[in-house]
Structure formats: structure tokens, C-alpha cells
Amino acid sequence: MAQTILIVEDNEKNRKLARDILQFHGFTIIEADNAEAGIALAHERHPDLILMDFHLPGMNGIEALGVLRAAEDTRAIPVMAVTASAMTEDRQRIIAAGFDGLQTKPIHLKEFIAA
């Protein structure tokens, strides 16, 4: 059975790119365009991995991670931050928040799949 990845990304083009790459590599993809919808899908579908955009409308990626980690049924799901921000300060905030990994945009295909 294919592993399921939840993509939480507000930019439709970025979401499509990640979806197309991951589906090509055999993953089942579910998607949300904001943190609140992503959290609901995580509770409902229990994906194997969540790719979470850092900058989202409304609740940001760090806040969403906090909600996921606080709930028993989503606490153990690995969450990887995806961001266009290469600023050292943002990277430090992402790692300190407890994300399981970090990918920068634009996505570099080999690094993205390996992660």
C-alpha cells in the first residue's frame, strides 16, 4: 500500500508541483490550502508524512505544528516544513519549533525525494 503524504500549501502551483512529483514516485497525496484544513485532514486520514508550508494564511506552519503535536492521534506524524525563506532566523525558528525536517523552495527534485 502506498504511503500517504498530506501537502499543506496555499500556493496552487507549488501544491501541484509537489503532488505531481510525489505521485510519480508512488505516493498517495491529499491536499489542503490552509493549516486548519490540513489539521482536519491529518486527524481524519492519519498520513505517513505532512509537508507543511511555513507561511500560510491565518494559522502559520509553526502554530499548526503545535496543534498537531498537542493531539494524541497526530503527535507522532512526521511534519516537514517547506519554505521559500532562506533566512537563517526563519530556519532557526523552524528547527526550534520541532519540525522533523526542512525543504526550501524552489524544490530541488533529488533532495526533495530523498527527504
Side-chain angles (χ1 to χ4, degrees):
M1 191 160 110
Q3 289 187 314
T4 300
I5 298 176
L6 168 58
I7 301 169
V8 183
E9 166 67 64
D10 62 318
N11 181 294
E12 186 177 341
K13 289 179 182 177
N14 290 340
R15 209 170 48 245
K16 180 183 181 334
L17 174 63
R19 176 184 63 231
D20 291 350
I21 291 169
L22 294 169
Q23 282 180 334
F24 178 80
H25 284 84
F27 295 98
T28 299
I29 304 302
I30 52 179
E31 304 172 40
D33 63 3
N34 62 64
E36 294 83 359
I39 291 166
L41 278 171
H43 286 294
E44 180 183 317
R45 302 279 301 273
H46 300 96
D48 298 291
L49 172 68
I50 299 172
L51 298 177
M52 178 80 66
D53 187 13
F54 181 64
H55 296 287
L56 292 164
M59 183 185 297
N60 70 33
I62 289 177
E63 294 167 328
L65 178 67
V67 172
L68 292 167
R69 293 291 192 247
E72 192 167 325
D73 67 325
T74 56
R75 177 175 300 141
I77 299 171
V79 181
M80 182 177 295
V82 182
T83 183
S85 177
M87 302 293 290
T88 302
E89 181 180 301
D90 283 342
R91 286 175 179 260
Q92 290 172 343
R93 284 179 52 211
I94 288 167
I95 299 306
F99 282 93
D100 296 290
L102 170 65
Q103 282 292 304
T104 57
K105 297 181 220 173
I107 291 172
H108 298 283
L109 186 59
K110 288 182 182 178
E111 293 172 17
F112 183 66
I113 294 301

